[in-house]
Each structure stands twice: as structure tokens, then as C-alpha cells.
Amino acid sequence: MTDTLALLKRLKRPLLPVMGLIYVAAGVMHFVSPKAFAQIVPPSLPRPLALVYLSGVAEIVLGIGVLIPRTRRHSAWGLVLLLLAVFPANVYMATSDVVIKGAPEWLRNPSDAATWARLPLQAVLILWAWWYTQPPADESA
């Protein structure tokens, strides 16, 4: 257990830019292919395209924010909340056999296994973001 904690402590700093860049890239993709993302917004939610743009902006801003020490903790909390907010889209995708028109073939019709695997992955992403909401032990991480 101690080895695992030591490994996690060593990985925390190098994983931070990875996480930030993943969110920035994902946010940019909301503007590159907004209609594809709008197709996975549950029909019960209003204005899917506006929600796609809003979540894209949030991902970009929060992804950059976690890279800045002064805004890191607040941005990490924002990512936790954003991941919780978009979870219904992942559930909708898993339960409704969504076919994403206009997406590349490999993304157009994801397998049931892939869409269901995405649900627990969301928990991993939430924990990853939550990790950076914690004050660093030495206040320099």
C-alpha cells in the first residue's frame, strides 16, 4: 500500500498537464464537430447545440485552469461538476443505441461494451480531477 501511495504521489505532478490538455483538446472538439456532440445530448435537455458549445468552453477554460497553480483547485472542482453534468449524455448513449451521424466510422456506432464501459470511466475521470482539489502536502504541487 505504501508503494502505491508513493507511486501516486510521484505521478500527480506529471499527470496534471496530461489531464489539462485532454480537457482542452476535448473542448476544442466540441467546436470542430458540434453536431456530432449534440446527438448524444439527451432529448429531454433543451438546446443541445448550445449545451455542446457551453460544455466545450467549460472544458477549455477548466483544462487551462488546472494548469495554473492559482486556479488549479477551483478548476479541478469545476471539472468534477462538469463531469457530473455530462454524465446523463453518457447514460443516454449507453441506453439508447445512439448512432452519431457525421462522425468517423469508428466513432459512428460504438459498441454496447464501449458505451457501457464509458460509465465507470467517468468515475475514474471524476476521481482524477478530484485529486487536484486537494491541497498539496508541500503546497508546491
Side-chain angles (χ1 to χ4, degrees):
M1 183 70 160
T2 312
D3 292 339
T4 303
L5 292 175
L7 175 63
L8 286 173
K9 188 175 181 178
R10 282 195 315 270
L11 289 176
K12 189 172 185 178
R13 185 179 298 271
L15 285 176
L16 180 62
V18 173
M19 184 180 75
L21 292 174
I22 286 171
Y23 284 103
V24 170
V28 167
M29 290 308 298
H30 283 67
F31 292 91
V32 171
S33 300
K35 290 180 182 174
F37 281 92
Q39 293 172 58
I40 65 169
V41 174
S44 60
L45 295 177
R47 305 194 54 197
L49 205 52
L51 292 174
V52 167
Y53 288 130
L54 180 63
S55 61
V57 167
E59 284 183 326
I60 293 167
V61 169
L62 296 170
I64 293 169
V66 295
L67 300 175
I68 302 167
R70 188 170 167 190
T71 59
R72 180 167 300 141
R73 290 181 67 203
H74 285 99
S75 296
W77 277 118
L79 287 171
V80 168
L81 294 173
L82 178 64
L83 289 162
L84 291 170
V86 301
F87 188 70
N90 295 335
V91 172
Y92 173 67
M93 205 169 166
T95 60
S96 301
D97 295 323
V98 175
V99 175
I100 304 170
K101 298 175 186 108
E105 181 63 37
W106 62 277
L107 277 177
R108 190 171 300 142
N109 193 9
S111 70
D112 286 345
T115 59
W116 283 98
R118 191 171 170 176
L119 300 178
L121 175 62
Q122 196 85 357
V124 172
L125 295 174
I126 289 168
L127 286 172
W128 190 7
W130 176 81
W131 196 15
Y132 295 101
T133 68
Q134 306 307 301
D138 63 0
E139 288 299 323
S140 65

